Amino acid sequence: MKHFLDIHTTDPADLRAMISHARAMKAARRDRPRGAPDDEQPLKGRMVALIFEKPSTRTRVSFDVGVRQMGGETMVLSGADLQLGHGETVADTARVLSRYVDLVMIRTFEEATLHELADHATVPVINGLTNRTHPCQIMADVMTYEEHRGSIADRKVVWSGDGNNVFASWAHAAGQFGFDITFTGPEPLDPEPDHLAFVRSRGRRAEIVRDPVEAVRGADIVVTDTWVSMHDPQSARERRHNQLRPYQVNEALMAAAGPDALFMHCLPAHREDEVTSAVMDGPQSVVWDEAENRLHAQKAVLRWCLGV
């Protein structure tokens, strides 16, 4: 049994195999009508539980569609449906769900909830997002870059903004796929030192550069994310806007990165805040490919977890 909990805890060879498998499955679907099932039905007869303590668009739809395309069925559960960790312990929920379903994907708040679920489940568990990491998104992002520019190894990724959970998984990917990463943002929103330390432990460069224009020089990818969470109070939103305004990804910043640099954003985006519409809709943006590739990358993760 294999869980997919984080990029840095998954063997690099397995990560590379998942990317290759995702690209092959995407190619196999290229001329197929939208929504049609795959020729292979590796999840036929399988039931996948999709648990959402946090609301979602891309994660919910892409996992649901991916399971169905591969012949499986899904059961979508909210935190209210389960009262996870409140009416019943997470461990007991894991034990019970394991008797009903073949795999659990969870999108939750605390990393501890994910790990407790995985520790007590007897079926594979996939991390659909926690407050600390977002590994499925970055698998799609690596796939997207390599579709457009070839191998991501030895490239330079620049993150502009808040050192959040998406940045953490980018850092983990830097160590596992062999590229360098630069964070540019205000000091109060620096990423966790452990994430940068992991990159360096794998022999890759991980640095913090305060000047965003200097940071993006020579970048192969410029990445950002929303400045505020839907759960942040208004006072926190205003403070973050003031802190992050100098790190907006706009046409001038992309020009400093160079014409070959790609722009990425995991979505949803707040246009004219962390990124301008001119960049989002511009020739360097691959955000819609990223969104589509969540489907293909997660299908590969599902198959890896289930060994099918």
Side-chain angles (χ1 to χ4, degrees):
M1 184 179 65
K2 295 177 287 191
H3 300 307
F4 185 73
L5 303 184
D6 271 314
I7 288 174
H8 69 305
T9 57
T10 306
D11 186 270
D14 288 336
L15 295 170
R16 175 50 62 195
M18 282 184 257
I19 296 293
S20 297
H21 201 179
R23 293 187 68 178
M25 286 189 288
K26 182 178 182 179
R29 289 196 60 82
R30 192 156 289 145
D31 299 321
R32 194 179 305 276
R34 183 180 295 275
D38 292 357
D39 287 335
E40 287 187 276
Q41 296 283 280
L43 267 61
K44 187 173 183 178
R46 306 288 186 116
M47 176 63 73
V48 176
L50 306 177
I51 301 174
F52 293 94
E53 284 200 297
K54 282 190 171 187
S56 167
T57 299
R58 277 150 295 280
T59 299
R60 176 169 178 166
V61 174
S62 57
F63 266 109
D64 198 350
V65 170
V67 171
R68 292 167 186 263
Q69 285 181 354
M70 295 190 291
E73 296 184 61
T74 61
M75 177 180 296
V76 180
L77 302 165
S78 71
D81 293 326
L82 294 175
Q83 296 186 332
L84 198 63
H86 301 291
E88 180 177 58
T89 67
V90 175
D92 286 351
T93 298
R95 294 181 180 105
V96 170
L97 285 177
S98 296
R99 300 297 180 101
Y100 300 145
V101 304
D102 298 287
L103 181 145
V104 177
M105 187 289 303
I106 183 167
R107 181 180 174 93
T108 188
F109 292 93
E110 299 303 324
E111 186 180 49
T113 301
L114 168 74
H115 287 286
E116 187 175 357
L117 191 74
D119 286 345
H120 294 90
T122 54
V123 298
V125 173
I126 293 175
N127 176 2
L129 174 142
T130 71
N131 284 348
R132 194 158 189 255
T133 58
H134 195 1
C136 288
Q137 176 65 55
I138 277 53
M139 292 295 285
D141 292 352
V142 170
M143 176 183 173
T144 302
Y145 180 81
E146 295 194 337
E147 284 181 331
H148 287 267
R149 296 287 191 266
S151 174
I152 200 169
D154 299 321
R155 303 295 188 173
K156 177 182 177 180
V157 173
V158 178
W159 177 277
S160 184
D162 176 10
N164 63 10
N165 54 351
V166 185
F167 173 85
S169 288
W170 266 111
H172 294 159
Q176 299 290 63
F177 287 97
F179 57 87
D180 299 331
I181 192 160
T182 297
F183 171 83
T184 185
E187 186 173 358
L189 300 178
D190 277 355
E192 293 181 33
D194 285 354
H195 299 321
L196 302 179
F198 175 77
V199 182
R200 294 165 185 151
S201 74
R202 294 307 185 95
R204 304 307 309 187
R205 182 186 297 274
E207 59 183 356
I208 295 175
V209 177
R210 296 295 172 208
D211 181 348
V213 173
E214 182 61 30
V216 301
R217 296 200 189 283
D220 296 288
I221 310 172
V222 178
V223 197
T224 192
D225 195 5
T226 55
W227 288 347
V228 296
S229 167
M230 66 185 74
H231 307 287
D232 288 340
Q234 185 61 34
S235 59
R237 290 168 181 255
E238 293 172 0
R239 182 173 64 253
R240 279 176 171 260
H241 273 79
N242 292 334
Q243 290 173 316
L244 288 163
R245 181 65 65 186
Y247 298 95
Q248 181 190 68
V249 180
N250 49 39
E251 290 173 284
L253 194 66
M254 291 304 298
D260 290 332
L262 297 180
F263 170 73
M264 292 190 178
H265 191 307
C266 66
L267 304 179
H270 294 80
R271 291 169 180 258
E272 315 313 328
D273 282 350
E274 72 271 9
V275 60
T276 61
S277 290
V279 171
M280 274 276 290
D281 301 325
Q284 292 170 280
S285 173
V286 291
V287 297
W288 314 121
D289 292 338
E290 282 181 87
E292 178 188 348
N293 285 340
R294 288 290 300 275
L295 171 65
H296 307 296
Q298 288 162 186
K299 286 167 70 173
V301 171
L302 285 160
R303 294 189 68 170
W304 176 80
C305 286
L306 291 168
V308 295

